[in-house]
């Protein structure tokens, strides 16, 4: 099908968005309005009408979205190698910095720290300072530093002890990263912006290259991303942003809803196209969602509508307590599955925080209903993967002291704390990097013979494997040889007492070898730095599991964004949970919680259930709970209050029993 045939299948607003190619364009894309199809077709349309593919830059928020968009554009254009540049903000900035970072005083062999490595550095810095009140966690300090950086400012020592700690640690944190030639995730964006501001000749090159810009999920951009988009757009202003202010749910990590609300003011002459026709949800679900979100004051006017029928009303149920809520929800799931033959994979349970999943997991297990829990420890967060990644990082970047310290203890090599202190003091005296100190440990005063020999041996291993990895064409084999030489598998077998636990870890080690081998075969110009960047960005973007796992999906509101399910249960819809107790202190906080609730509601295609409890267990104690204010905002004509025992239509009951008997016979026959 050619591109013009595809255009004819769009609705009028979608077609207008695709065919408007010059000047600033704001596409307000409501939930389920076919946004992906529109931005993909718009990209292909630009290329079809004569724009050079490499001049089109499309920025998405996940690597998965970037890959899919690139493939779809290529398919529309009939294959071939001509494709636009589709990237995440962080991947784009990383590629630019890898080429240009020497302009601002860094070496090109920098490495990127993921979240756990950033936290490890913050903990080290905090341990060197005495605080009157140390009730805060390192995670909170890092969050303050990150938010300040994304707002183009520094943490301010006002308010809570954690603010004072962040303000005190921030300069040391920055200095430590610079001394190790390491960037954190925020630096990828900040340093790219600094590069463009300080070196206009570099900026001009990228402006000339990227003549047409598109940014997806614009409501989730922060201050730095806004400045990057603005500076790249330049005087041409061929900038198209796509987003929905009603789905802006990341204010807590620095996203600024003002970026999309003020777009028309920031870019005079903007054409705004509203995509309000919804292709996902039934009429009553949209009526309920529109009713809730219309209570927000800071929003752009839009009302979702559908050509689908009204469908069932939104069902609201009050349980007596936490366990009762889980039992009722899972009982209803069981009935839906058996009575209507709806597969478990078409059903989702959505909650405010992952800590709320436990009673639902237990209830599903009791009924032997399979489920998938979205969230938890990712593969690249596991100890054995982090240990081996530390070895790869010090091989790639000899200045990465923190990775060197982790490698020195995984496995332990007889280099104790006192030896490490002497090695660090030697490095700090100006005699080179920490790795240099390891390499001449025998000449450092106070080092024992055994510790010095171990330190120099480690330095030798790093040096030899740097050559092995830099030669290319065999990084998987080089990693296998490194694992063997340092005795890492034996270390794991000693560390974990049960064979089952050790076997799982050994499987993860094999998985890392497979990952680097696959990366090497799939990527042109593969390098150790490139592989490490892939790992770091995977951690950052936390590509969420797509629906398609086995069983009922248990998922948080934030993780559910972008997904859809025929049947959705929103649970724990109570004050202090939804909206969260910390958000009710400000109008902006409550409005973001309302947007979050709206996102959950608009995941539902055919049926939506909302439940809450009269008493909620917390820290082992049951406390009275109050229904969320958002339930009361649902228009009465779109809601149905469910009683515990509903009267059943006799014909429905007969059909239900008949189906149960048929299912039972089918299972018995399958066992024969």
């Amino acid at each position: 099908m050619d591109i013009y045939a595809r255009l004819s299948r769009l609705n009028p607003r979608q077609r207008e968005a695709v065919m408007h190619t010059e000047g600033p364009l704001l596409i307000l894309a409501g939930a389920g309005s076919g946004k992906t199809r529109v931005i993909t077709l718009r990209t292909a349309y630009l290329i079809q009408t004569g724009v050079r593919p490499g001049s089109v830059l499309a920025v998405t928020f996940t690597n998965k979205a970037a890959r899919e968009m690139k493939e779809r554009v290529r398919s529309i254009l009939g294959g071939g190698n001509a494709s636009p540049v589709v990237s995440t903000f962080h991947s784009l900035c990383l590629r630019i910095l890898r080429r240009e970072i020497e302009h601002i005083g860094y070496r090109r062999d920098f490495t990127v720290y993921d979240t756990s490595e950033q936290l490890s550095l913050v903990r080290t810095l905090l341990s060197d300072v005495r605080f009157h009140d140390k009730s805060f966690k390192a995670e909170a300090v890092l969050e303050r530093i990150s938010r300040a950086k994304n707002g183009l400012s520094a943490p301010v020592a006002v308010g809570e002890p954690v603010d004072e700690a962040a303000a005190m640690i921030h300069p040391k944190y920055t200095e430590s990263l610079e001394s190790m030639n390491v960037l954190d995730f925020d630096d990828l964006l900040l340093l790219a912006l600094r590069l463009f501001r300080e070196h206009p000749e570099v900026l001009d090159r990228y402006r000339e290259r990227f003549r047409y810009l598109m940014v997806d999920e614009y409501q989730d951009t922060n201050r730095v991303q806004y400045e990057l988009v603005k500076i790249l757009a330049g005087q041409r202003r061929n900038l198209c942003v796509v987003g929905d202010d009603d789905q802006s749910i990341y204010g807590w990590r620095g996203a600024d809803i003002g970026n999309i609300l003020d777009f028309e003011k920031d870019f005079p002459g903007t054409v705004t196209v509203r995509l309000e026709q919804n292709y996902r949800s039934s009429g009553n679900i949209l009526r309920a969602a529109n009713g809730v979100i219309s209570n927000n004051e800071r929003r752009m006017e839009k009302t979702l509508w559908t050509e689908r029928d009204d469908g069932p009303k939104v069902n609201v149920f009050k349980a007596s307590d936490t366990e009762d809520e889980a039992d009722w929800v899972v009982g209803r799931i069981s009935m839906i599955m058996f009575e209507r033959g709806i597969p478990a994979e078409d059903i989702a349970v959505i909650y405010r925080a992952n800590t709320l999943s436990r009673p639902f997991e237990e209830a599903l297990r009791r009924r032997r209903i399979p489920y998938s829990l979205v969230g938890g420890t990712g593969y690249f967060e596991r100890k054995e993967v982090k240990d081996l990644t530390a070895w790869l990082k010090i091989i790639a970047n000899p200045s990465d002291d923190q990775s060197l310290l982790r490698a020195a203890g995984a496995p332990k090599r007889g280099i104790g704390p006192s030896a490490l202190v002497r090695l660090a003091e030697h490095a700090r005296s100006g005699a080179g990097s920490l790795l240099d100190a390891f390499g001449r440990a025998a000449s450092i005063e106070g080092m024992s013979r055994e510790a010095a020999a171990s330190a120099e041996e480690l330095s030798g291993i790093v040096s030899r494997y740097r050559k092995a990895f830099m030669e290319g064409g065999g990084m998987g084999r080089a990693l296998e040889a490194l694992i063997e030489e340092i005795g890492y598998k034996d270390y794991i077998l000693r560390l974990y007492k049960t064979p089952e636990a050790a076997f799982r870890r050994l499987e993860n080690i094999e998985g890392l070898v497979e990952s680097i081998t696959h990366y090497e075969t799939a990527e042109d110009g593969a390098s150790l730095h490139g592989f490490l960047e892939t790992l770091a960005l995977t951690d950052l973007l936390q590509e969420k599991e797509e629906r398609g796992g086995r069983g009922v999906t248990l998922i948080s509101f934030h993780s559910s964004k972008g997904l859809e399910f025929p049947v959705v249960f929103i649970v724990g819809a109570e004050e202090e949970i939804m909206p969260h107790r910390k958000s009710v202190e400000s109008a902006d906080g409550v409005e973001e919680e309302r947007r979050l609730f709206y996102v959950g509601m608009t995941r539902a295609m055919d049926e939506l259930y909302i439940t809450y409890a009269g008493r909620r267990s917390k820290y082992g104690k049951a406390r009275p709970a109050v229904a969320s204010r958002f339930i009361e905002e649902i228009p009465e004509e779109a809601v149905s209050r469910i009683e515990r025992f509903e009267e059943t239509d006799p014909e429905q009951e007969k059909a239900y029993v008949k189906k149960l008997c048929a299912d039972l016979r089918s299972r018995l026959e399958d066992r024969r």
Side-chain angles (χ1 to χ4, degrees):
M1 186 188 302
D2 71 19
I3 195 163
Y4 294 101
R6 291 175 191 269
L7 283 171
S8 68
R9 299 174 67 176
L10 300 179
N11 69 43
R13 296 287 74 75
Q14 289 175 327
R15 195 155 45 248
E16 179 187 358
V18 168
M19 299 181 75
H20 184 91
T21 59
E22 304 299 312
L25 172 67
L26 169 59
I27 303 175
L28 277 178
S33 62
K35 174 194 75 169
T36 303
R37 182 196 297 179
V38 168
I39 58 176
T40 303
L41 265 176
R42 187 177 187 276
T43 307
Y45 182 75
L46 281 167
I47 296 167
Q48 181 75 28
T49 52
V51 175
R52 193 172 59 82
S55 295
V56 181
L57 170 63
V59 182
T60 67
F61 266 76
T62 68
N63 289 318
K64 183 175 184 294
R67 281 194 306 273
E68 288 181 352
M69 184 174 170
K70 197 177 287 189
E71 286 163 9
R72 285 174 180 171
V73 170
R74 191 176 288 140
S75 170
I76 293 169
L77 294 173
N81 295 320
S83 63
V85 178
V86 187
S87 177
T88 65
F89 272 107
H90 291 86
S91 296
L92 173 69
C93 291
L94 195 150
R95 284 204 301 272
I96 291 170
L97 291 173
R98 188 64 74 194
R99 294 190 196 101
E100 316 283 359
I101 200 166
E102 288 174 339
H103 288 287
I104 51 174
Y106 286 77
R107 297 199 315 274
R108 288 170 69 177
D109 67 348
F110 66 85
T111 43
V112 181
Y113 270 5
D114 64 23
T115 309
S116 65
E117 288 160 327
Q118 291 173 255
L119 276 171
S120 179
L121 177 57
V122 168
R123 287 190 185 103
T124 300
L125 295 171
L126 286 172
S127 68
D128 293 338
V129 181
R130 287 190 176 184
F131 294 97
H132 296 299
D133 182 342
K134 216 170 182 182
S135 58
F136 52 83
K137 292 184 177 180
E139 287 85 350
V141 174
L142 181 60
E143 187 263 338
R144 296 296 199 285
I145 292 172
S146 178
R147 283 200 66 167
K149 289 172 78 170
N150 282 314
L152 292 173
S153 62
V156 180
V158 293
E160 303 174 26
V162 66
D163 296 312
E164 181 187 343
M168 191 177 294
I169 291 300
H170 178 239
K172 297 177 181 179
Y173 174 79
T174 303
E175 187 182 316
S176 297
L177 290 178
E178 287 178 2
S179 70
M180 294 187 290
N181 200 40
V182 166
L183 311 187
D184 68 11
F185 294 137
D186 301 322
D187 290 331
L188 293 175
L189 307 184
L190 281 167
L191 293 181
L193 182 59
R194 179 181 149 196
L195 170 74
F196 288 152
R197 284 176 169 174
E198 293 180 6
H199 296 273
E201 75 285 359
V202 176
L203 172 61
D204 286 343
R205 262 194 284 125
Y206 285 95
R207 276 180 174 169
E208 190 59 33
R209 181 182 175 189
F210 300 130
R211 290 167 166 256
Y212 291 83
L213 273 63
M214 284 203 297
V215 184
D216 192 13
E217 305 288 4
Y218 191 66
Q219 77 281 348
D220 294 333
T221 53
N222 60 33
R223 174 75 187 279
V224 182
Q225 289 162 336
Y226 165 82
E227 294 292 346
L228 276 167
V229 167
K230 192 174 180 182
I231 202 169
L232 268 175
Q235 294 303 309
R236 273 195 199 91
R237 304 194 317 145
N238 285 334
L239 170 63
C240 165
V241 301
V242 187
D244 180 7
D245 54 306
D246 289 337
Q247 296 187 73
S248 178
I249 58 173
Y250 293 109
W252 52 275
R253 71 179 189 198
D256 184 355
I257 192 174
N259 290 350
I260 192 166
L261 295 178
D262 297 336
F263 187 83
E264 293 165 318
K265 183 174 72 178
D266 293 340
F267 294 89
T270 291
V271 170
T272 300
V273 179
R274 286 172 166 77
L275 304 183
E276 296 172 294
Q277 183 175 355
N278 178 284
Y279 295 92
R280 176 186 298 151
S281 305
S282 60
N284 275 318
I285 292 171
L286 293 184
R287 202 167 288 122
N290 286 331
V292 171
I293 200 64
S294 65
N295 286 276
N296 272 4
E297 291 183 10
R298 287 193 77 202
R299 66 184 293 260
M300 301 183 80
E301 192 57 45
K302 75 188 83 64
T303 303
L304 297 183
W305 61 276
T306 182
E307 291 181 345
R308 290 186 60 185
D309 60 24
D310 283 347
K313 291 185 176 184
V314 174
N315 298 289
V316 175
F317 175 76
K318 178 183 178 180
S320 58
D321 57 29
T322 304
E323 307 305 324
D324 181 47
E325 180 186 39
D327 286 342
W328 186 87
V329 166
V330 173
R332 182 57 61 123
I333 288 172
S334 177
M335 191 179 80
I336 288 169
M337 289 171 62
F338 282 108
E339 188 177 327
R340 280 178 264 156
I342 292 177
E345 290 73 21
D346 284 356
I347 302 170
V349 177
I350 301 178
Y351 36 74
R352 179 63 179 82
N354 290 326
T355 52
L356 296 170
S357 71
R358 180 198 55 78
F360 298 95
E361 292 185 67
E362 291 174 354
L364 286 163
R365 282 198 199 104
R366 282 196 298 273
R367 296 228 184 195
R368 303 193 176 206
I369 296 174
Y371 68 89
S372 297
L373 184 66
V374 176
T377 305
Y379 170 76
F380 295 110
E381 284 298 303
R382 302 185 191 282
K383 172 189 159 44
E384 55 278 11
V385 177
K386 302 299 286 184
D387 285 347
L388 292 173
T389 302
W391 278 93
L392 296 179
K393 286 192 170 184
I394 188 60
I395 288 167
N397 175 10
S399 301
D400 189 346
D401 295 352
Q402 190 165 288
S403 292
L404 175 57
L405 292 173
R406 180 161 189 152
K412 295 189 185 306
R413 317 182 63 83
I415 310 171
S418 59
L420 288 172
V421 167
R422 287 187 174 87
L423 288 163
E425 285 174 348
H426 183 77
R428 276 199 295 270
S429 70
S433 69
L434 184 58
L435 184 60
D436 291 333
F438 270 64
R440 49 174 176 267
S443 66
I444 297 174
E445 189 177 341
M447 289 286 292
S448 71
R449 187 180 300 171
E450 294 79 8
S454 293
E456 289 187 355
E457 182 189 21
L458 188 151
S459 174
I461 291 171
V462 170
S463 179
R464 275 187 287 110
Y465 279 92
R466 182 171 303 116
K467 290 177 186 170
F469 278 98
M470 298 311 164
E471 283 169 3
M475 289 196 291
R477 287 194 300 275
L479 178 55
E480 280 184 306
L482 174 65
I483 292 166
E484 182 69 28
E485 181 161 347
I486 64 176
Y488 194 80
K489 289 183 179 178
D490 292 336
Y491 165 66
I492 289 294
L493 290 168
R494 290 193 304 272
L495 193 62
Y496 295 96
K497 305 304 179 191
T498 66
E500 294 82 5
F503 181 70
R504 282 198 301 273
R505 269 66 186 187
L506 293 174
E507 279 188 326
N508 289 334
I509 293 168
E510 293 303 323
L512 185 64
V513 174
E514 287 173 16
S515 291
I516 198 169
T517 303
H518 173 75
Y519 162 80
E520 196 169 18
T521 55
E523 292 288 329
D524 293 330
S527 67
L528 182 56
H529 275 107
F531 177 67
L532 291 171
E533 287 162 8
T534 301
L535 297 194
L537 292 171
T538 299
D539 173 89
L540 165 67
L541 299 167
Q542 295 175 0
E543 305 264 6
K544 57 182 174 248
E545 300 165 41
E546 289 293 339
R547 187 164 67 86
R550 184 170 172 267
V552 175
T553 299
L554 303 184
I555 191 168
S556 71
F557 279 98
H558 284 99
S559 294
S560 73
K561 188 165 177 286
L563 303 180
E564 59 183 30
F565 303 87
V567 182
V568 166
F569 290 81
I570 291 177
V571 299
E574 296 146 30
E575 291 291 305
E576 297 198 353
I577 294 177
M578 174 55 74
H580 192 275
R581 60 185 174 79
K582 288 184 179 176
S583 71
V584 297
E585 296 165 6
S586 71
D588 285 348
V590 171
E591 292 212 344
E592 176 147 326
E593 292 290 293
R594 188 176 282 111
R595 291 193 292 270
L596 195 56
F597 194 72
Y598 172 83
V599 165
M601 295 176 80
T602 53
R603 300 311 94 201
M605 299 164 71
D606 304 321
E607 289 183 70
L608 174 60
Y609 295 81
I610 301 172
T611 67
Y612 64 101
R615 294 178 70 78
R616 175 71 53 186
S617 295
K618 194 172 183 183
Y619 308 124
K621 291 184 180 179
R623 293 184 170 88
V626 178
S628 169
R629 67 191 73 182
F630 303 146
I631 292 176
E632 302 309 314
E633 293 171 358
I634 299 173
E636 202 56 44
E637 66 271 18
V639 73
S640 171
R641 310 267 173 177
I642 299 182
E643 299 300 325
R644 180 172 301 279
F645 302 106
E646 300 168 90
E647 288 187 19
T648 315
D649 182 291
E651 292 303 315
Q652 280 187 334
E653 202 165 276
K654 280 182 193 174
Y656 177 53
V657 172
K658 190 175 178 182
K659 186 171 189 316
L660 273 180
C661 292
D663 286 344
L664 187 58
R665 274 198 301 273
S666 174
R667 288 181 188 182
L668 289 170
E669 285 171 6
D670 287 345
R671 289 181 181 178
R672 286 175 185 166

